[in-house]
Amino acid sequence: MQTAFTPEQLADPKIAEANTILRKCVHCGFCTATCPTYVLLGDELDSPRGRIYLIKGMLERGEAPTAETVKHIDRCLSCLACVTTCPSGVDYMHLIDEARAKVARKYKRPMVDALLRRLLAAVMTDPSRFHASVRLAALFRPMRHILAQVPFLKLLAAMLDLAPASLPAEEDVTGRHPAQGRCRMRVALLAGCVQPVLGPHINSTTVRLLNRLGAEVIVPAAQGCCGSLHHHAGNEDAALALARRNIDLWADADIDHVVINASGCGTVVKDYGHMFRFDRDRAKAEAVAAKSLDIVELVAKLGLADAKAPRPLRVAYHSACSMQHGQKIKRLPIELLASAGFEVVEPFESHLCCGSAGTYNMLQPDIATRLRERKVVNISALAPDIIATGNLGCMTQIGQGTAIPIVHTVELLDWAMGGPEPPAMRAG
Ligand code: SF4
Ligand code: SF4
């Protein structure tokens, strides 16, 4: 793709990077076929290629983007299916990150939109604030259908829709958890912000499984949000501040790995080196990124020799976008589940996003709901006993549209290693 940046613009290293990315695109359009928003909406401007054109124009002009450009950028799920598909290796992930940062810096959003985004960022990056807000949301939930009729309160209704009616009991995993038997390695677990509130058993299950496999697990009280929510909203400074806190903690800690059991967070942690490329802490960030693993990567490293599914189950495996496109982990969870004795099946259109995408299901509820419905139809066609996935966001999103129990992959692996039956199955 031809670009027309001035030498002054190219002196900015971020623009120079964007220029290199843009020039790789050869307009072939292969990416459109796997882009969820293009598949649903059929609008070129809601395809990767169309967005690349819009981003090019926005960066070249250097002015505040138009509302039309922001609309199409906002509709992007950052699912990265286009990155997997692109034969030219266009680094769309870092291009859309730069575009969102530019939008955050230059575009003045309508007041309600701006307020809701600020509210989401404040609430979802802090477990205690998130816990309090979910309890509050439960009180207002009966009003969501009324709110949904008021155009500027539609997003608030979408947030209430996703809030669970009740919360599971808290399970605090902060601290040091020794390995069973010989200690083979020491790891730090990123507990997350939303997960300790909506799915606290995922962290305790992760700790139990890793301990059983010979890993000592540390969950430092001082660690916090990975920064992904701010990063995807274009709030660079806030994202870097949160990430830096974790990097300072993990870089010098006596650990072999940082383990992450929410693939959305893992994609960002593994990209810390890039996020800090112009920062004094670049080397530390790169070191942390290099020792970060998704939980399935760590389990595979430790080995699951004695795993045995307690009973025959047909598991529909949903691969989160951040897992398959962001981290390029596609077969490993399936192989682990199969080696543990589960029958694993994959839905049609497994490459397409379920609509969760961080806060996307709250900010773009119409598209997110259509994507969920499509995903649930494809999963249900497999008639599975259970759905497994490696990202809490997908569990919440898909779980809203089906009665089939949905669990984190680690719950099934732990169960096959002698742990308790996953709570979602006991409830079903
Ligand atoms: S597939 Fe790659 S090269 Fe082709 S239009 Fe899409 S981004 Fe550009
Ligand atoms: S990240 Fe996903 S939604 Fe965004 S352009 Fe690429 S395929 Fe489409």
Side-chain angles (χ1 to χ4, degrees):
M1 177 180 285
Q2 293 272 324
T3 55
F5 292 107
T6 64
E8 292 74 28
Q9 285 178 309
L10 290 172
D12 176 345
K14 290 189 176 173
I15 294 292
E17 268 179 2
N19 182 48
T20 307
I21 298 171
L22 289 164
R23 282 177 165 262
K24 272 196 161 183
C25 177
V26 295
H27 327 267
C28 66
F30 285 174
C31 53
T32 56
T34 57
C35 171
T37 53
Y38 183 74
V39 168
L40 281 190
L41 307 171
D43 182 341
E44 172 73 14
L45 294 179
D46 285 313
S47 78
R49 184 173 57 182
R51 291 192 177 105
I52 287 170
Y53 270 111
L54 289 174
I55 295 168
K56 170 178 128 61
M58 174 178 80
L59 295 180
E60 281 176 348
R61 282 190 298 276
E63 302 157 358
T66 62
E68 186 67 8
T69 296
V70 174
K71 179 176 88 178
H72 296 292
I73 289 175
D74 281 352
R75 281 185 186 166
C76 172
L77 294 133
S78 280
C79 70
L80 308 180
C82 50
V83 176
T84 299
T85 309
C86 176
S88 301
V90 172
D91 183 2
Y92 180 86
M93 176 169 113
H94 292 130
L95 187 67
I96 191 78
D97 286 347
E98 182 54 25
R100 292 194 202 280
K102 170 92 170 176
V103 169
R105 278 196 305 271
K106 297 244 178 183
Y107 182 68
K108 192 166 164 37
R109 291 187 181 274
M111 196 172 69
V112 175
D113 186 19
L115 274 176
L116 285 176
R117 282 169 190 270
R118 228 177 284 165
L119 179 73
L120 276 180
V123 159
M124 292 187 71
T125 53
D126 180 286
S128 36
R129 280 201 289 257
F130 183 63
H131 191 273
S133 71
V134 172
R135 292 182 82 97
L136 194 65
L139 294 177
F140 288 96
R141 209 160 179 263
M143 294 168 62
R144 66 191 188 280
H145 297 300
I146 302 166
L147 296 176
Q149 307 306 315
V150 186
F152 67 93
L153 292 179
K154 218 174 153 188
L155 295 186
L156 195 59
M159 290 178 197
L160 294 179
D161 243 343
L162 283 166
S166 64
L167 286 174
E170 287 180 48
E171 295 181 42
D172 185 10
V173 291
T174 308
R176 185 176 288 267
H177 307 270
Q180 281 181 20
R182 183 175 68 86
C183 180
R184 299 167 62 198
M185 65 170 71
R186 185 177 292 121
V187 301
L189 168 67
L190 175 69
C193 305
V194 171
Q195 193 154 277
V197 180
L198 295 187
H201 65 288
I202 296 171
N203 284 337
S204 49
T205 302
T206 301
V207 170
R208 183 172 53 238
L209 178 63
L210 290 178
N211 286 164
R212 188 176 285 128
L213 296 179
E216 178 178 343
V217 183
I218 303 158
V219 188
Q223 73 185 6
C225 174
C226 64
S228 63
L229 198 141
H230 282 299
H231 182 61
H232 293 309
N235 302 328
E236 285 175 308
D237 291 346
L240 289 182
L242 289 169
R244 196 184 305 278
R245 188 169 64 166
N246 294 334
I247 288 167
D248 285 343
L249 201 65
W250 295 331
D252 302 323
D254 180 19
I255 51 170
D256 299 291
H257 292 290
V258 175
V259 60
I260 301 131
N261 57 10
S263 59
C265 305
T267 305
V268 169
V269 174
K270 287 182 175 181
D271 200 40
Y272 274 175
H274 184 86
M275 280 171 68
F276 283 78
R277 64 201 181 286
F278 303 123
D279 190 277
R280 64 178 191 280
D281 284 334
R282 175 186 177 156
K284 275 163 76 173
E286 283 174 346
V288 165
K291 64 180 169 188
S292 297
L293 294 177
D294 183 82
I295 178 64
V296 290
E297 293 177 296
L298 187 59
V299 168
K301 218 175 161 75
L302 290 163
L304 266 184
D306 302 325
K308 189 172 180 315
R311 59 173 188 268
L313 276 182
R314 187 172 164 85
V315 180
Y317 177 71
H318 163 71
S319 187
C321 299
S322 43
M323 188 76 91
Q324 59 172 317
H325 304 304
Q327 300 186 48
K328 306 286 179 229
I329 302 172
K330 180 84 171 117
R331 302 302 311 168
L332 191 55
I334 296 168
E335 286 163 7
L336 285 173
L337 288 168
S339 74
F342 296 103
E343 182 198 355
V344 189
V345 286
E346 279 185 279
F348 176 60
E349 296 185 333
S350 63
H351 61 281
L352 278 191
C353 183
C354 65
S356 169
T359 54
Y360 191 93
N361 48 3
M362 289 173 264
L363 296 171
Q364 301 284 342
D366 295 340
I367 298 173
T369 303
R370 288 174 67 187
L371 286 172
R372 175 174 61 214
E373 286 166 0
R374 196 171 173 128
K375 184 62 71 184
V376 167
V377 166
N378 285 329
I379 290 176
S380 303
L382 301 168
D385 299 305
I386 193 159
I387 304 164
T389 186
N391 194 45
L392 178 72
C394 306
M395 289 170 67
T396 311
Q397 170 76 353
I398 297 171
Q400 291 261 323
T402 177
I404 303 168
I406 180 160
V407 299
H408 193 289
T409 310
V410 80
E411 294 180 77
L412 292 181
L413 298 178
D414 177 61
W415 190 30
M417 286 294 292
E421 186 176 5
M425 295 183 63
R426 293 202 295 270

